[in-house]
Amino acid sequence: GAVVSQHPSWVICKSGTSVKIECRSLDFQATTMFWYRQFPKKSLMLMATSNEGSKATYEQGVEKDKFLINHASLTLSTLTVTSAHPEDSSFYICSADYELAGGPDYEQYFGPGTRLTVT
Amino acid sequence: AQTVTQSQPEMSVQEAETVTLSCTYDTSESDYYLFWYKQPPSRQMILVIRQEAYKQQNATENRFSVNFQKAAKSFSLKISDSQLGDAAMYFCASGGSNYKLTFGKGTLLTVNP
């Protein structure tokens, strides 16, 4: 089956520093990846759509300068939280759109998530 | 724009019994997909079942089945012979031509032994 990994699974950083989260599709290529944020006992909130070779598309209200997204290859997207603050502490989840030979499958496979704690 | 509504924040079921989770949605797209995802305490999102809107036949996956009522924009999930491992948060989601998923707020399912 299609597997998506995230690294790290858990990170603690100090306020004002930056942290990078990697999302990899391990056994398939993904032109499109997505980044979500999830607060405890809440639903997933889409932050941005990451497109290989082009700029990410951010959802309304998401600061693009704070959450930098780079989709450098068909198997890797990164989310960098810049100048992190305690309010950025959250669970970040990525997903990759599984594409069949004939086109998109409209099915997303999710990474295991990254828990970010900013102190 | 798409919206997904799950009106049951919490549900409980006895082991081996059947439970139905409700979901309604709204979309302006003519071609769309509906999904149920399970999120156990590990927080890994797991696809339970998917339904293509153009298909009239309800999707089934072993003990999981859906009741897709397109005109009513309803997409409920039935879990038969509930098992302790079914305990999780369940999210209903819709997806369209932009490949984005819109999630409902989730239903926390408890399975009692």
Side-chain angles (χ1 to χ4, degrees), chain A residues 12-115:
Chain A
I12 301 175
C13 70
K14 293 187 176 181
S15 186
T17 62
S18 297
V19 61
K20 179 185 288 187
I21 303 169
E22 292 186 349
C23 176
R24 293 181 184 272
S25 56
L26 297 185
D27 50 1
F28 67 101
Q29 293 183 332
T31 303
T32 305
M33 292 184 174
F34 303 88
W35 286 96
Y36 297 86
R37 184 173 181 176
Q38 185 180 33
F39 291 104
K41 299 185 179 181
K42 297 293 184 182
S43 188
L44 281 70
M45 181 191 76
L46 179 65
M47 299 175 64
T49 302
S50 172
N51 301 294
E52 188 269 336
S54 63
K55 291 184 178 180
T57 304
Y58 291 82
E59 295 300 300
Q60 191 173 8
V62 177
E63 299 177 62
K64 61 181 67 177
D65 294 331
K66 166 168 274 295
F67 299 101
L68 300 179
I69 292 172
N70 187 306
H71 195 149
S73 75
L74 287 172
T75 59
L76 173 63
S77 175
T78 59
L79 169 68
T80 301
V81 183
T82 63
S83 186
H85 291 285
E87 56 265 31
D88 298 324
S89 298
S90 190
F91 194 68
Y92 293 88
I93 305 174
C94 74
S95 70
D97 188 57
Y98 186 72
E99 298 175 10
L100 301 174
D105 188 41
Y106 295 97
E107 189 165 314
Q108 294 183 23
Y109 288 86
F110 287 80
T114 296
R115 183 180 304 279

